[in-house]
Amino acid sequence: SNSNVTDVIDRETKKNHKDVVLHCCKNCLKEIDTSINTTEDFYNSLDKEEIESQNIELDIFGYVKNWGKISKAVREKNNYTCEKCGLKPTNNLDKRFWQVHHINGNKIDNRTSNLKCLCIYCHSMVDIKHSNNFSKGSKIIELEIFINKYKKEI
């Protein structure tokens, strides 16, 4: 949500709950910044002037709603080749290990010049923040699978 509160509809009762502060589930907490625990925390972490001026909708992780399409287009444009180490996937299933990095760290700055196609290993090594992000939850498992599969190449 792009606001500190959000409306929630109960799927079973269809009751609409207005202006709710949501708390992240434990699975989401593993994936996001540990200082963000509620929709209010997330809202407070955003650059509101930029979002309001551009009327941008974000997902729970702070990416624009069409991030999946943007990310895929960048990876395809680069033929799923890591722009740091030059590694390419050995099969289509392994394309999941290639990601798009925001060079300036701003997740809503999706200019081509700010996006870089990286393998999961190079992405995890960008800086200490990325290293920490890839050391927990499902990301560490994916990274370990990648390293075991491509250890000769990296």
Side-chain angles (χ1 to χ4, degrees), residues 55-68:
N55 196 24
I56 299 171
E57 283 191 57
L58 303 177
D59 67 16
I60 191 170
F61 301 109
Y63 293 95
V64 295
K65 291 282 184 169
N66 63 340
W67 172 243

Side-chain angles (χ1 to χ4, degrees), residues 30-31 33 128-136 139:
K30 291 177 191 174
E31 299 293 326
D33 183 344
I128 197 74
K129 179 183 172 194
H130 283 79
S131 182
N132 288 338
N133 286 343
F134 282 90
S135 67
K136 57 189 174 197
K139 290 182 180 183

Side-chain angles (χ1 to χ4, degrees), residues 10-31:
D10 184 317
R11 287 184 180 173
E12 289 182 19
T13 66
K14 307 295 185 225
K15 183 177 178 186
N16 191 3
H17 302 273
K18 294 275 187 196
D19 300 328
V20 177
V21 173
L22 295 176
H23 294 271
C24 294
C25 72
K26 63 183 175 182
N27 292 321
C28 290
L29 286 174
K30 291 177 191 174
E31 299 293 326

Side-chain angles (χ1 to χ4, degrees), residues 138-152:
S138 62
K139 290 182 180 183
I140 193 168
I141 295 167
E142 286 293 299
L143 182 57
E144 288 172 354
I145 293 168
F146 177 82
I147 289 171
N148 285 333
K149 183 158 190 173
Y150 290 94
K151 60 185 160 201
K152 291 178 182 173

Side-chain angles (χ1 to χ4, degrees), residues 75 80 88-99 119-120 142 145-146 149-150:
R75 289 177 286 146
Y80 288 86
K88 296 180 181 187
T90 57
N91 61 63
N92 282 335
L93 184 59
D94 286 354
K95 288 180 179 180
R96 73 183 191 271
F97 297 122
W98 274 255
Q99 304 174 341
C119 69
I120 190 173
E142 286 293 299
I145 293 168
F146 177 82
K149 183 158 190 173
Y150 290 94

Side-chain angles (χ1 to χ4, degrees), residues 43-59:
Y43 176 76
N44 290 334
S45 74
L46 300 175
D47 181 349
K48 284 129 196 109
E49 286 182 25
E50 186 173 4
I51 292 167
E52 288 169 8
S53 69
Q54 297 180 34
N55 196 24
I56 299 171
E57 283 191 57
L58 303 177
D59 67 16

